[in-house]
Amino acid sequence: MWANWKGYLRIAEGVVRNYCLSAPGPGHCRSQKGRMADSGLLVPSSCDCFVSLPPASANREVIFGKNSDRPRDEVQEVVYFPAGRHAKGTKVQCTYIEVDQVEKTHAVILSRPAWLWGAEMGANEHGVCIGNEGVWSKEPVGEVEALLGMDLVRLGLERGSSAHEAVKVIAELLERYGQGGSCKEEPTPFIYHNTFLLADRTEAWILETAGRFWAAQRIRGKGKRITLYATLSSLEERQENIIIFKRTWLLRFTKGTQNISNQLSIGANITAEHHGLRQHAQEQGWWSGKGEFSFTEAFSLVHQPSRMEAAKARYCAGQQLLQQHSGQITAETIMTILSDKASGICVDSEGFRTTGSMVSILPQDSRLSCVHFLTAIPDPSRSVFKPFIFAANITPFPQVQSPSFGDEDPVRKIPRFQSQVDRRHELYRQHQLILEIMDRNQKDHQRLQEMMWKLQRQILDAMKNLLAGSFTLKPQELASLFCDYVGTELKLYK
């Protein structure tokens, strides 16, 4: 067992040195220009989110994970924003529109497409994690620019101190501002509505939307008889022997795992909902007004787009993978699931691929730090999940942040997306060269893959022992943790 943090870093550096001594010379690499995706080929786009709660988790931890599957050449960056205080009455500019700012925002770590304001996934200083997915329903998508689902992810993290509170934040913003606008950095609009998976140290929520309408379902690891008052202003839990009250719903017993994959999944087991949800469904002729109300049955399209049909297979595969490991799920388990290409969960196609991934450990013991692992680059099966822990004075990590183009950014000009810019950050560029080498030479592929696995194992062992109390980190070591491992990964690639 290593005595301190520097021991782990030395081992990680040793992994890199051992590879560099045996690696081919610089002439083996060649430069590349940004490859543009074939916009004429539309393959099923997808995302997958996972959560495990005790007793499904191996330890007293909630484990969250997400693959962000986006247009193949879209660059995803990792950014940190500290907590902030804001003057009353100020506005905040999101991707397309302004919304009212709150007086206090939480510190957040985000993984996001580099062209937009929001995020595909992220976490905040209170141990809240959120990921979103695109869905299509009977409710028409809005071409009028409003909030993107990715904006709502960031807003929920900046304003919610628990998963429950973040659900209310997103629902309120959705009802007030709506969702709409293109979700791709291309002239041809690509628009969808959103589902969200939210988790904290104690519980998880699924929030599914159709326009400004929404339904939410609470997930717990251990089945308990509880009732939940489904009003937006107050979701109140009561431990009682009587199960059904007016305007309450019984939370079903759960197995402690859940996943979402580009489709509506909330049936009659609704914990909270938009106040006019059922009335709207009835007015549209999607529900008779009698008998059990199912959000999925009422709002799902009769004829699903091909991308949503493909999502069903991934959803089932994700459920099976979670169930196979139930009771023993760790961060490494979720990383392995996110790297699974046979199931389609790790996407690698001509049009779309997994452009960024995230896994978080949320210990139920509040004295322990939450650990968030982010790749900042495509293909989790051929990249490294690097750890981030919230601390004071976080060391900047410009190696995974894209260049800024200010007012000249194509997303800022009207009409939008009429030109393209190079958003690749340093780690992205180096990683693309390595993927090119791996695709060209099987021997190099195996050697580089082994080095990545060894580095990942060192990182996982270090974080496991940190949470077990085998060693501690000084404040500055915590602050530089993510930056240090980004640097180690870059050394491996160079």
Side-chain angles (χ1 to χ4, degrees):
M1 191 65 62
W2 296 272
N4 55 45
W5 176 241
K6 291 182 179 179
Y8 283 100
L9 285 179
R10 282 197 296 271
I11 287 178
E13 296 288 351
V15 169
V16 174
R17 283 197 303 273
N18 289 338
Y19 171 72
C20 291
L21 288 173
S22 60
H28 197 72
C29 302
R30 61 183 177 88
S31 62
Q32 68 174 20
K33 294 183 179 180
R35 172 184 170 278
M36 300 309 298
D38 180 3
S39 59
L41 179 64
L42 181 61
V43 298
S45 57
S46 54
C47 287
D48 293 276
C49 290
F50 300 87
V51 68
S52 172
L53 301 92
S57 301
N59 304 306
R60 292 185 61 246
E61 300 166 340
V62 175
I63 310 292
F64 172 92
K66 181 188 174 182
N67 270 353
S68 171
D69 303 328
R70 302 280 303 166
R72 184 174 184 86
D73 294 301
E74 184 179 79
V75 177
Q76 197 143 149
E77 64 177 352
V78 172
V79 291
Y80 166 79
F81 295 100
R85 292 194 174 274
H86 312 279
K88 191 173 182 178
T90 59
K91 302 280 187 179
V92 56
Q93 177 65 51
C94 301
T95 302
Y96 297 131
I97 67 168
E98 286 185 337
V99 300
D100 289 337
Q101 182 59 285
V102 293
E103 293 186 26
K104 181 182 178 183
T105 51
H106 307 310
V108 295
I109 183 77
L110 306 173
S111 184
R112 67 180 186 182
W115 61 271
L116 52 75
W117 180 84
E120 276 279 298
M121 53 208 169
N124 70 20
E125 61 186 306
H126 299 289
V128 179
C129 297
I130 307 177
N132 79 306
E133 314 228 348
V135 292
W136 293 262
S137 69
K138 293 176 183 175
E139 197 69 22
V141 295
E143 293 193 18
V144 176
E145 292 181 346
L147 289 173
L148 295 179
M150 293 168 279
D151 293 335
L152 290 166
V153 168
R154 177 171 174 178
L155 290 164
L157 290 169
E158 288 186 335
R159 302 178 182 198
S161 59
S162 67
H164 170 194
E165 187 174 5
V167 168
K168 293 195 291 181
V169 167
I170 293 175
E172 289 170 349
L173 289 166
L174 182 68
E175 291 187 23
R176 181 175 179 185
Y177 296 102
Q179 56 183 324
S182 184
C183 303
K184 279 170 59 176
E185 191 182 12
E186 294 180 4
T188 303
F190 180 67
I191 306 167
Y192 51 75
H193 292 157
N194 293 268
T195 65
F196 304 86
L197 184 62
L198 309 92
D200 59 27
R201 293 177 184 265
T202 61
E203 64 182 14
W205 287 77
I206 295 173
L207 173 62
E208 298 186 342
T209 73
R212 294 176 187 252
F213 297 95
W214 58 272
Q217 182 185 77
R218 192 181 194 183
I219 304 162
R220 281 195 166 184
K222 296 181 179 179
K224 292 199 301 184
R225 287 174 177 255
I226 60 174
T227 53
L228 296 157
Y229 282 76
T231 62
L232 184 57
S233 59
S234 175
L235 298 177
E236 193 176 312
E237 177 181 328
R238 298 192 177 186
Q239 305 284 346
E240 301 182 18
N241 292 325
I242 301 175
I243 302 304
I244 301 296
F245 283 90
K246 184 179 180 182
R247 297 286 298 162
T248 70
W249 291 265
L250 174 64
L251 180 67
R252 233 189 305 176
F253 286 22
T254 71
K255 296 181 180 180
T257 61
Q258 189 67 49
N259 60 310
I260 58 174
S261 299
N262 299 106
Q263 58 185 333
L264 299 180
S265 63
I266 297 177
N269 184 18
I270 299 174
T271 307
E273 64 187 59
H274 183 283
H275 62 89
L277 179 70
R278 301 184 189 214
Q279 179 181 346
H280 179 71
Q282 192 170 358
E283 290 173 350
Q284 297 298 316
W286 302 338
W287 179 54
S288 67
K290 299 178 181 179
E292 187 175 72
F293 175 80
S294 165
F295 181 72
T296 295
E297 290 181 9
F299 282 84
S300 290
L301 289 166
V302 177
H303 302 290
Q304 300 281 355
S306 60
R307 63 180 67 91
M308 292 186 73
E309 287 293 340
K312 292 179 181 178
R314 288 195 342 274
Y315 175 75
C316 293
Q319 279 195 328
Q320 291 171 1
L321 289 167
L322 287 172
Q323 290 169 6
Q324 285 174 15
H325 299 281
S326 184
Q328 300 180 359
I329 295 174
T330 63
E332 184 176 6
T333 308
I334 301 298
M335 290 178 188
T336 301
I337 292 174
L338 295 179
S339 301
D340 193 293
K341 289 187 174 179
S343 64
I345 291 171
C346 181
V347 176
D348 189 4
S349 69
E350 284 298 314
F352 287 81
R353 70 172 167 182
T354 300
T355 58
S357 302
M358 171 180 162
V359 173
S360 294
I361 302 174
L362 313 175
Q364 293 192 319
D365 185 343
S366 60
R367 296 170 297 180
L368 299 177
S369 297
C370 296
V371 184
H372 311 283
F373 302 87
L374 304 104
T375 61
I377 47 179
D379 195 345
S381 71
R382 298 191 291 176
S383 57
V384 178
F385 288 84
K386 298 161 286 291
F388 175 92
I389 296 176
F390 283 92
N393 303 314
I394 291 291
T395 303
F397 28 87
Q399 311 98 314
V400 294
Q401 292 173 3
S402 298
S404 175
F405 299 93
D407 292 337
E408 296 302 309
D409 197 307
V411 72
R412 294 289 171 218
K413 294 182 177 182
I414 304 295
R416 303 191 196 276
F417 309 127
Q418 298 303 301
S419 61
Q420 295 179 331
V421 292
D422 187 353
R423 301 188 188 276
R424 293 176 297 168
H425 50 69
E426 182 182 2
L427 182 60
Y428 185 96
R429 289 174 180 270
Q430 292 298 327
H431 183 249
Q432 290 305 106
L433 292 172
I434 289 300
L435 292 186
E436 188 177 282
I437 293 170
M438 295 175 78
D439 289 340
R440 190 171 60 235
N441 187 299
Q442 183 59 37
K443 185 176 180 181
D444 288 335
H445 183 285
Q446 184 176 352
R447 181 167 53 204
L448 281 161
Q449 189 78 75
E450 288 176 356
M451 292 305 105
M452 291 179 188
W453 287 339
K454 287 180 180 179
L455 179 56
Q456 190 69 77
R457 170 50 53 198
Q458 297 299 335
I459 291 172
L460 288 167
D461 286 346
M463 294 303 101
K464 179 180 179 180
N465 286 305
L466 176 66
L467 292 174
S470 300
F471 70 95
T472 58
L473 292 178
K474 297 177 181 178
Q476 188 50 46
E477 290 173 328
L478 280 174
S480 65
L481 182 65
F482 186 75
C483 182
D484 288 343
Y485 271 118
V486 169
T488 301
E489 187 178 15
L490 273 169
K491 288 179 183 178
L492 173 63
Y493 298 155
K494 290 180 177 180

